[in-house]
């Protein structure tokens, strides 16, 4: 008798354990640990993961597995174990842990098919399959099950003749975008332009644009780039000079691309010193965590590349994590350039199908390296030789939903299982990381110099309060304005950086101060210019933009805040000659837009690149000689103990964008709090001093890295219910924890109400509490076991956001 332990897909307290099922005789050869199966559960049929196969069970009456869902296990042994680790360490349901490791295509809604591999020969397949595949290169999984083909399919899959593919069932709605296309040749456009009357200067400008750009261009982009209205384009369409067309633009960003091969560079002495311990760890199959600490441009990536090369030569595999926004084509090129098609890329810009394809390459061992964002840490490699986390301080490595894991912790766990090194790279390491390196828990490797020996750019901090006193109400200081103008005259490029976080463009009445808030959440609505709408970022509530104040009927109700759009508008007024490319969530929403805008900037099609944090990364163009930070301190005032650290990191990173090549760079940081140490020290790019200052603060306030944190957030529709439940939880935690720990609460969360639910929390600061996880689990169990109470309890062990 063969019995399978199955974790079923019912995320609830009562089902958060393995259930035993009998494996029917005809599936005994087929079903293996790590496969997904369909099992009966109560009256339903549901999915589950087989975690173990055993000979007996303590339960008597077992039901039978209905059928397998995979030809090969989707989780290997190590990942199954890792699922247990994730469950224990992040206090999530096991089913969530397993699901987090798989690409979305494996999570239902997709039609499963079995397809002949490219090099499979039909006539060499067993007769039964020849019949099945006679008319079609793929058959539906459902049919295969019905016809009892799965065991044979499995054998052929093992030989590489077949593979499983997923086809999106309801075709995901692909957004079509309106494009503008010239109908005339450049020469004729020029003639048409010359024949137009003087006053049609806008139309002439559009024609001039198409004389130089024959490619179709997205309408919205054209409008913003030329600062024209849709009517201008419409007029030209009516004259049959241009035409508009809806086009689908999506496709595999790396397809049809050849990557220029690069060779390893002879390492500098510093690089050599830094790489030796890493190579030693690879050679000895010895787990160790390295912090590769070096400013941007100090040669870290070259060290990653050469370490990976060594790993590949030893027949092992490598995972490289890069923050999502840094996963730019430039970054991908460097890995593809060195290792060609041995590299898979995983990031959120890929469609579910594309992601599954990349994942499958890993699973089938067709690649040796995966470069990807956070979830790539679960790449199903079986012989890991190194894990690299670039920009390891980035907060995007923490997942903010279940399982609430930090990729760094998962990396270290996997590297331990695989006896391999972890390399954490950063110019501004997370405080926790640097502290561990100081204590010798991690090994510190330093690259003190930039490769090109260029001095870091000169940074000047401008006090915006002084500007105001001098009568300058613009969002540009006089100095920044002068420098911008100078760059335009010299045909050099500038980057303007708007620290958008903590800022929203809200609508306020100038007469009575009324601010438009979300009716469901205690937070102001954000103004969206493109759609002329007010929107809540927490619950999605949308509303019209008022033209009159609902409180006092004043007409002076305007939007405030400095969104990128507003900056762009102002630039248009004060520097009308400047060509501006704006990069923010609005202009980079579609796939490939990010890349396209950067390319345009690189090609010199604009003088100024204006954007949010997404431009802080990976921008390495020779012609950038000025970086301006418009509002350095907007993040400092967030209720977040990491806000100083984040400000310092961001400012340092942005400053590094200037003068990376021959031309020297200048950086202007505008701020209302020039005296704040994270602004001041970013000015001198002095990480060590910043580290010491910030460590003092953290120590004084009992924050990481001196203390660990755990955050319990409780929400309910009734305020009284939340408060009393939180009181109970706080009391319970206090009773179970030593008096070295600090338990704070009940306190209202920084966002006290979201979607009509009041939110309270309990914050625990502790150093060593071996029993804490059990206590927290008990709290979760109690509330999850009683859904009728309406209370939602969520627990974040090592929270990054205290909202
Ligand atoms: P980081 O990852 O720290 O930003 P990179 O590895 O990208 O640094 O190096 C910065 C620049 O220096 C890149 O253009 C890279 O090609 C170049 N570079 C790195 N190492 C060497 C080397 N040993 N010899 C010559 N050029 C190098
Ligand atoms: Zn008013
Ligand atoms: Zn809301």
């Amino acid at each position: 008798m063969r019995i399978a332990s199955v974790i079923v897909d019912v995320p609830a307290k009562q089902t958060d354990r393995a259930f035993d099922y009998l494996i029917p005789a005809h599936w005994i050869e087929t079903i293996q640990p790590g496969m997904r199966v369909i099992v009966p559960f109560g009256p339903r049929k549901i999915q589950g993961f087989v975690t173990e196969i055993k000979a007996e069970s303590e339960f008597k009456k077992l039901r039978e597995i209905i059928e397998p869902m995979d030809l090969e296990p989707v989780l290997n042994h190590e990942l199954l174990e890792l699922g247990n680790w994730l469950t224990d360490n992040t206090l999530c349901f096991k089913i969530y842990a397993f699901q987090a490791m798989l690409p979305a295509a494996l999570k239902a809604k997709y039609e499963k098919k079995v397809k002949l591999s490219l090099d499979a020969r039909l006539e060499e397949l067993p007769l039964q399959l020849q019949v099945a595949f006679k008319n079609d290169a793929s058959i539906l999984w459902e049919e295969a099950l019905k016809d009892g083909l799965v065991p044979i399919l499995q054998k052929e899959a093992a030989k590489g003749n077949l593979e499983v593919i997923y086809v999106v069932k309801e075709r995901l709605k692909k957004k079509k975008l309106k494009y503008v296309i010239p109908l005339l040749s450049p020469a004729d456009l020029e003639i048409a332009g010359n024949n137009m009357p003087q006053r049609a200067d806008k139309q002439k400008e559009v024609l001039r644009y198409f004389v130089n750009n024959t490619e179709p261009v997205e309408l919205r982009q054209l409008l913003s780039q030329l600062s024209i209205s849709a009517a201008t384009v419409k007029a030209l369409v009516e004259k049959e000079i241009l035409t508009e067309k809806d086009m689908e633009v999506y496709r595999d960003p790396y397809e049809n691309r050849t990557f220029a091969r690069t060779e390893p560079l002879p390492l500098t002495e510093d690089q050599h010193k830094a790489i030796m311990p890493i190579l030693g760890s690879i050679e000895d199959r010895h787990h160790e965590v390295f912090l590769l600490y070096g400013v941007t441009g100090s040669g870290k990536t070259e060290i990653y590349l050469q370490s990976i090369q060594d790993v590949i030569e030893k027949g092992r595999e490598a995972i490289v994590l890069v923050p999502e926004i840094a996963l730019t084509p430039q970054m991908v090129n460097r890995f593809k350039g060195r290792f060609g098609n041995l590299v898979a890329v995983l990031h959120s810009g890929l469609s579910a199908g594309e992601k599954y394809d990349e994942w499958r390459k890993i699973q089938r061992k067709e690649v040796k390296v995966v470069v990807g964002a956070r979830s790539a840490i679960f790449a199903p490699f079986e012989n890991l030789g190194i894990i690299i986390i670039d920009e390891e301080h980035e907060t995007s490595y923490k997942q903010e939903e279940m399982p609430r894991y930090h990729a760094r912790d998962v990396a270290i766990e996997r590297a331990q299982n695989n006896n391999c090194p972890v390399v954490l790279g950063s110019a501004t390491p997370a405080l926790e990381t640097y502290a561990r390196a100081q204590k010798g828990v991690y090994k510190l490797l330093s690259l003190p110099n930039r490769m090109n020996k260029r001095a870091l750019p000169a940074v000047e901090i401008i006090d915006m309060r002084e500007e105001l006193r001098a009568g300058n109400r613009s969002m540009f200081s006089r100095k920044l304005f002068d420098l911008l103008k100078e760059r335009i005259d010299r045909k050099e490029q500038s980057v303007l950086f708007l620290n958008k976080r903590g800022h929203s463009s809200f609508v306020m009445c100038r007469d009575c101060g009324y601010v438009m808030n979300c009716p469901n959440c205690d937070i102001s609505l954000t103004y969206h210019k493109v759609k002329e709408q007010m929107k809540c970022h927490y619950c999605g509530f949308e509303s019209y933009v008022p033209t009159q104040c609902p409180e006092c009927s004043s007409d002076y109700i305007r939007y405030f805040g400095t969104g990128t759009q507003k900056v762009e508008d102002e630039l248009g007024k004060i520097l009308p000659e400047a060509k501006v490319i704006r990069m923010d969530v609005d202009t980079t929403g579609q796939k490939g837009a990010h890349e396209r805008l950067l390319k345009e900037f690189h090609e010199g099609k604009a003088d100024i690149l204006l954007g949010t944090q997404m431009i802080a990364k990976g921008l390495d163009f020779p012609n950038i000689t000025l970086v301006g930070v418009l509002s350095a301190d907007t993040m400092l005032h967030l209720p977040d103990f990491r806000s100083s650290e984040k400000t310092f990191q961001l400012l340092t990173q942005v400053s590094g964008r200037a003068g990376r090549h021959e031309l020297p760079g200048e950086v202007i940081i505008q701020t209302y709090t020039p005296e704040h140490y994270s602004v001041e020290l970013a000015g001198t790019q002095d990480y060590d001093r910043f580290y010491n200052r910030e460590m003092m603060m953290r120590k004084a306030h009992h924050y990481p890295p001196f203390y660990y944190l755990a955050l319990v957030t409780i929400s309910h529709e009734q305020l009284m219910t939340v408060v009393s439940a939180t009181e109970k939880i706080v009391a319970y935690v206090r009773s179970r924890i030593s008096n070295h720990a600090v338990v704070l609460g009940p306190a209202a969360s920084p966002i006290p109400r979201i979607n009509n639910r009041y939110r309270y929390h309990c914050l625990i600061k502790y150093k060593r509490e071996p029993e804490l996880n059990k206590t927290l689990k008990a709290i979760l169990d109690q509330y999850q076991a009683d859904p009728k109470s309406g209370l939602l309890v969520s627990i974040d062990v090592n929270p990054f956001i205290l909202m």
Side-chain angles (χ1 to χ4, degrees), residues 508-514 548-557:
M508 187 169 98
C509 169
R510 292 199 169 186
D511 278 327
C512 75
Y514 164 86
Q548 255 196 354
C549 173
E551 292 284 312
C552 74
S553 305
S554 160
D555 293 334
Y556 286 94
I557 185 155

Side-chain angles (χ1 to χ4, degrees), residues 319-323 370-377 387-390 397 407:
I319 295 177
V320 184
L321 296 190
V322 177
V370 57
V371 181
R374 181 179 62 225
S375 62
I377 195 60
I387 301 178
I388 293 164
I389 305 187
D390 191 32
Y397 287 128

Side-chain angles (χ1 to χ4, degrees), residues 306-344:
Q306 298 199 15
S307 307
I308 294 172
Q309 176 138 17
D310 190 49
V311 162
I312 295 178
E313 279 163 10
K314 293 192 159 57
R316 294 176 217 152
E317 298 130 356
I319 295 177
V320 184
L321 296 190
V322 177
E324 185 71 56
I325 42 177
L327 204 49
T328 57
Q330 286 174 310
M331 193 68 184
V332 171
N333 283 353
R334 296 194 62 180
F335 288 87
K336 291 238 182 191
R338 194 66 59 89
F339 306 115
N341 52 14
L342 288 180
V343 181

Side-chain angles (χ1 to χ4, degrees), residues 56-233:
E56 44 198 282
S57 167
E58 53 186 293
F59 299 99
K60 285 247 168 56
K61 285 228 166 103
L62 295 183
R63 298 174 78 178
E64 285 194 339
I65 285 181
I66 297 171
E67 64 202 31
M69 292 180 66
D70 299 305
L71 291 179
E72 302 159 73
V74 291
L75 294 173
N76 62 35
H77 178 72
E78 187 220 334
L79 291 176
L80 283 172
E81 286 292 316
L82 192 68
N84 296 334
W85 178 88
L86 263 181
T87 309
D88 294 342
N89 281 275
T90 70
L91 304 179
C92 70
F93 296 129
K94 204 157 273 177
I95 188 74
Y96 283 145
F98 289 149
Q99 282 168 345
M101 299 184 197
L102 296 178
L106 294 184
K107 292 167 207 155
K109 284 223 188 65
Y110 296 87
E111 201 159 58
K112 188 158 52 162
K113 290 183 168 182
V114 184
K115 173 174 152 286
L116 279 182
S117 304
L118 278 183
D119 40 3
R121 293 157 153 273
L122 189 61
E123 59 280 7
E124 286 171 9
L125 294 183
L127 202 58
Q128 250 176 311
L129 293 188
Q130 289 191 26
V131 175
F133 284 100
K134 195 173 63 194
N135 298 320
D136 214 335
S138 67
I139 57 174
L140 281 174
W141 179 260
E142 299 293 320
E143 309 270 310
L145 274 174
K146 248 195 299 185
D147 300 344
L149 293 177
V150 170
I152 327 176
L153 290 174
Q154 192 177 26
K155 282 206 195 82
E156 295 302 314
K159 287 189 218 154
N161 285 333
L162 298 173
E163 53 185 310
V164 176
I165 56 170
Y166 287 81
V167 188
V168 183
K169 245 186 201 157
E170 68 254 63
R171 259 174 66 81
L172 290 173
K173 259 192 284 165
K174 283 202 173 166
K175 225 198 275 169
K176 288 198 169 175
L177 296 170
K178 190 155 271 171
Y179 273 68
V180 184
I181 306 165
L183 289 171
L184 306 179
S185 70
D188 289 341
L189 287 171
E190 207 148 2
I191 296 169
N194 291 337
N195 290 339
M196 274 187 192
Q198 201 57 44
R199 63 190 152 73
D201 58 334
K202 284 288 178 194
Q203 293 187 29
K204 285 174 167 224
E205 198 181 335
V206 179
L207 295 187
R208 264 199 305 280
Y209 172 92
F210 280 109
V211 169
N212 298 318
N213 306 277
T214 46
E215 293 289 300
V217 58
E218 200 211 318
L219 176 64
R220 282 202 323 229
Q221 190 204 336
L222 184 72
L223 298 185
S224 83
Q225 194 172 332
L226 302 182
S227 313
I228 52 169
S229 70
T232 309
V233 174

Side-chain angles (χ1 to χ4, degrees), residues 264-269 271-272 292-306 331 334 338 390-391 426-427 447 449-452 620 657 660-661:
L265 301 166
L267 295 181
T268 64
E269 213 179 300
Q271 283 176 318
H272 185 74
L292 183 57
Y293 167 51
V295 294
T296 344
S298 60
K300 295 189 293 295
T301 309
E302 188 60 34
I303 292 188
Y304 303 155
L305 291 168
Q306 298 199 15
M331 193 68 184
R334 296 194 62 180
R338 194 66 59 89
D390 191 32
E391 313 271 10
S426 177
L447 291 176
N449 301 307
R450 275 185 156 187
M451 276 321 292
N452 55 10
D620 183 11
R657 297 298 123 206
R660 297 197 49 168
H661 298 262

